[in-house]
């Protein structure tokens, strides 16, 4: 596992700001009638305007700046000309390169009024991400993060996808370790300050497999049930989890003082990152 120095975390935080602002620009346009291709264009412009580079575009040949996964699509949906419709849910996944480092995040949005079940699915998926984030503390183990996510999802009566997992992230987009959304507490590698993970629970209404269509990307549920996907890029610090991709208003835990053991030159407490 690669541990980042404080200066590297600062660069990742800058990538994360661009990424979340671009998602904010997309979010403002989400409504019935808009196409995912239109959202994709807005995301690309927003990233480029801020000096970043879309991380997904061209990655193993992926065509989009966004993954737009509608209804039964779990992940890796490709933006297209289909207008979003009232009652749909759409998971929007976005990644940005900046200064040699990557940020990765996703959220699932409701298009107008959605079913109670769809709303409960989104809520449980968001709560599971938060539980995983809360477990990102020095001395905990990776299995604590995985188990926390799984527990919230299963408590809500939903199913954790096994076919795709979260990942380490930094100067490569996907790096060690893999971060399953299921597992056993107290197992796996110990979390240390400077570790950065993209935690991304993918949750389905029922127990079902996930398939990949002939386009090589689109990954729907085998039985057609709804799926949700949310993601944050999160650093372990001595003061607890630092959610790099969270809007300031969501960054929980308040002030983050970076005192990573791996800080360049042994600097400690150099930066205070203010959440609220
Ligand atoms: N968050 C997704 C992941 O980590 C997004 C990758 S999309 C791809 O796998 F197109 F770039 F593959
Ligand atoms: Co990811």
């Amino acid at each position: 596992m690669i541990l980042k120095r404080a200066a590297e975390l600062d660069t990742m935080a800058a990538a994360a700001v661009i990424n979340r602002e671009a998602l904010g620009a997309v979010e403002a346009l989400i409504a019935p009638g808009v196409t995912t291709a239109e959202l994709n264009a807005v995301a690309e412009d927003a990233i480029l305007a801020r000096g970043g580079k879309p991380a997904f575009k061209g990655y193993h040949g992926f065509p989009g700046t966004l993954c737009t996964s509608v209804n039964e699509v779990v992940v890796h949906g490709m933006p297209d000309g289909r207008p979003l419709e009232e009652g749909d849910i759409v998971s929007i996944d976005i990644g940005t390169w900046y200064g040699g480092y990557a940020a990765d995040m996703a959220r699932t949005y409701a298009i107008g009024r959605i079913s109670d079940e769809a709303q409960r699915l989104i809520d449980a998926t968001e709560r599971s991400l938060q539980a995983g984030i809360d477990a990102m503390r020095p001395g905990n183990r990776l299995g604590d993060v995985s188990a926390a996510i799984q527990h919230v999802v299963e408590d809500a009566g939903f199913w954790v996808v096994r076919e795709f997992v979260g990942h380490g992230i930094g100067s490569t987009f996907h790096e060690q370790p893999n971060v399953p959304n299921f597992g056993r507490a107290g197992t796996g590698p110990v979390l240390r300050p400077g570790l950065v993970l993209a935690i991304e629970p993918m949750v389905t209404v029922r127990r079902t497999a996930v398939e990949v269509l002939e386009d090589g990307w689109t990954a729907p549920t085998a039985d057609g049930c709804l799926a949700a996907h949310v993601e944050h890029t999160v650093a372990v610090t001595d003061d607890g989890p630092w959610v790099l991709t969270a809007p300031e208003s969501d960054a929980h835990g308040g002030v983050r003082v970076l005192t990573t053991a791996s800080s360049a030159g042994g600097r400690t407490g150099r930066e205070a990152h203010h959440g609220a």
Side-chain angles (χ1 to χ4, degrees):
M1 295 195 305
I2 300 170
L3 302 181
K4 279 80 180 174
R5 290 171 289 111
E8 294 176 285
L9 293 184
D10 289 347
T11 305
M12 293 193 74
V17 168
I18 296 171
N19 205 46
R20 74 192 186 211
E21 286 184 1
L23 184 57
V26 168
E27 204 171 306
L29 296 177
I30 292 178
V34 72
T35 70
T36 50
E38 287 163 348
L39 298 178
N40 188 73
V42 166
E44 183 163 334
D45 288 349
I47 290 173
L48 293 174
R50 288 164 175 76
K53 186 174 163 299
F56 300 168
K57 196 175 174 180
Y59 185 83
H60 294 286
F62 189 78
T65 288
L66 300 177
C67 298
T68 52
S69 303
V70 179
N71 294 333
E72 76 284 0
V73 179
V74 181
V75 285
H76 301 166
M78 293 188 286
D80 63 19
R82 172 196 182 284
L84 295 169
E85 290 171 23
E86 174 104 15
D88 285 341
I89 62 173
V90 59
S91 302
I92 305 229
D93 193 344
I94 183 167
T96 293
W97 284 112
Y98 177 78
Y101 289 85
D104 191 7
M105 76 182 295
R107 278 195 67 185
T108 300
Y109 299 92
I111 310 304
R113 278 182 65 84
I114 59 172
S115 69
D116 287 350
E117 185 174 67
Q119 190 61 58
R120 284 191 296 106
L121 177 70
I122 293 172
D123 292 347
T125 307
E126 288 180 348
R127 287 201 313 277
S128 76
L129 173 58
Q130 189 59 56
I133 290 167
D134 290 341
M136 287 269 291
R137 294 176 184 283
N140 275 3
R141 290 176 181 270
L142 189 59
D144 296 323
V145 175
S146 300
I149 294 167
Q150 181 176 13
H151 181 79
V152 169
V153 171
E154 294 182 353
D155 246 26
F158 297 123
W159 177 254
V160 165
V161 166
R162 283 13 184 212
E163 288 89 342
F164 294 92
V165 297
H167 51 96
I169 182 169
S171 59
T172 47
F173 199 81
H174 293 118
E175 58 187 41
Q176 290 303 312
N178 283 339
V179 184
N181 298 302
F182 54 95
R184 277 179 36 229
T187 66
V190 174
L191 307 180
R192 301 190 190 289
L195 177 67
V196 186
L197 302 178
I199 305 181
E200 46 183 322
M202 289 149 272
V203 179
T204 59
V205 166
R206 283 186 295 279
R207 176 173 183 161
T208 180
V210 179
E211 299 177 335
V212 176
L213 300 187
E214 278 170 12
D215 61 26
W217 288 102
T218 313
T221 54
D223 74 353
C225 74
L226 291 179
H229 173 215
V230 296
E231 175 175 25
H232 272 310
T233 298
V234 187
V236 176
T237 80
D238 283 327
D239 299 304
W242 180 10
V243 187
L244 300 173
T245 43
E248 294 302 292
S249 57
D250 284 358
H252 66 117
V255 176
R256 292 266 171 269
V257 181
L258 296 181
T259 56
T260 64
S262 52
S263 291
R267 283 173 301 146
T268 57
R270 188 180 57 79
E271 154 155 350
H273 177 77
H274 295 275

